[in-house]
Amino acid sequence: MSAEATIREGGCLCGAVRFSAKVSTREVHGCHCEMCRRWTGSAFLAVTVPVREITWTGSEAIRRYQSSDWAERANCKECGAPLYYHVTTEGPFSASLELSLGLFDDPSGLTLSKEIFIDHKPQAFAYSGDHPRLTRKETLAGFGISEEDN
Ligand SMILES: [Zn+2]
Ligand SMILES: [Zn+2]
């Protein structure tokens, strides 16, 4: 789904890290995988934004953590807020960041459009809406990854 590009701003809890991003999607993705759950405490809701469309302020306060062989997760060094997920292996995915929805000053107009690893979601909560909900197996198949690689 394409949408008119909007300049959206946001930042972490303490304000040390801020961004301005040209966002040309309205789609929010939710991930319930174990790593996202442990990282965020619930699920990771994010908006895909090309790296080149994001301008950071206070980037020296960004701490990157290599969470797997193929991706890193960034947090604010000061307040710990999750900032983004980034695929680091060569390929089309590395050109974008999954920017945390929680950072946006004004998330209006952004809509949950897909949930992945739905079979790993804790029973304690569920997001509403009529959108695709992919199991772990379906999610990995979509990325061309076999179960064993994960
Ligand atoms: Zn912070
Ligand atoms: Zn995840």
Side-chain angles (χ1 to χ4, degrees):
M1 184 171 56
S2 66
E4 213 171 297
T6 313
I7 301 297
R8 292 183 182 267
E9 299 186 341
C12 66
L13 177 60
C14 74
V17 181
R18 297 280 306 166
F19 70 82
S20 175
K22 190 174 159 193
V23 180
S24 41
T25 180
R26 294 183 184 283
E27 297 189 357
V28 175
H29 299 141
C31 185
H32 299 286
C33 80
E34 184 183 339
M35 285 192 284
C36 285
R37 174 167 58 80
R38 292 186 190 278
W39 185 42
T40 63
S42 51
F44 183 48
L45 298 182
V47 180
T48 306
V49 182
V51 174
R52 65 174 190 278
E53 304 288 14
I54 306 172
T55 305
W56 295 98
T57 308
S59 56
E60 67 278 1
I62 297 176
R63 184 182 58 216
R64 291 171 190 80
Y65 169 67
Q66 194 78 34
S67 55
S68 66
D69 289 343
W70 62 87
E72 63 183 5
R73 293 164 192 264
N75 289 70
C76 172
K77 259 184 219 173
E78 303 297 329
C79 68
L83 303 174
Y84 62 80
Y85 170 92
H86 181 218
V87 172
T88 50
T89 51
E90 296 271 324
F93 293 115
S94 66
S96 296
L97 300 181
E98 296 298 318
L99 199 51
S100 174
L101 177 66
L103 304 176
F104 287 78
D105 294 340
D106 177 10
S108 62
L110 299 171
T111 310
L112 186 57
S113 66
K114 191 188 340 182
E115 289 176 70
I116 58 175
F117 289 86
I118 194 69
D119 48 344
H120 288 237
K121 181 184 70 60
Q123 291 180 341
F125 66 91
Y127 297 125
S128 61
D130 182 21
H131 51 261
R133 293 176 170 86
L134 307 183
T135 62
R136 169 194 162 92
K137 198 174 178 184
E138 291 165 341
T139 303
L140 294 179
F143 288 113
I145 299 168
S146 70
E147 291 276 346
E148 293 73 32
D149 293 341
N150 195 41

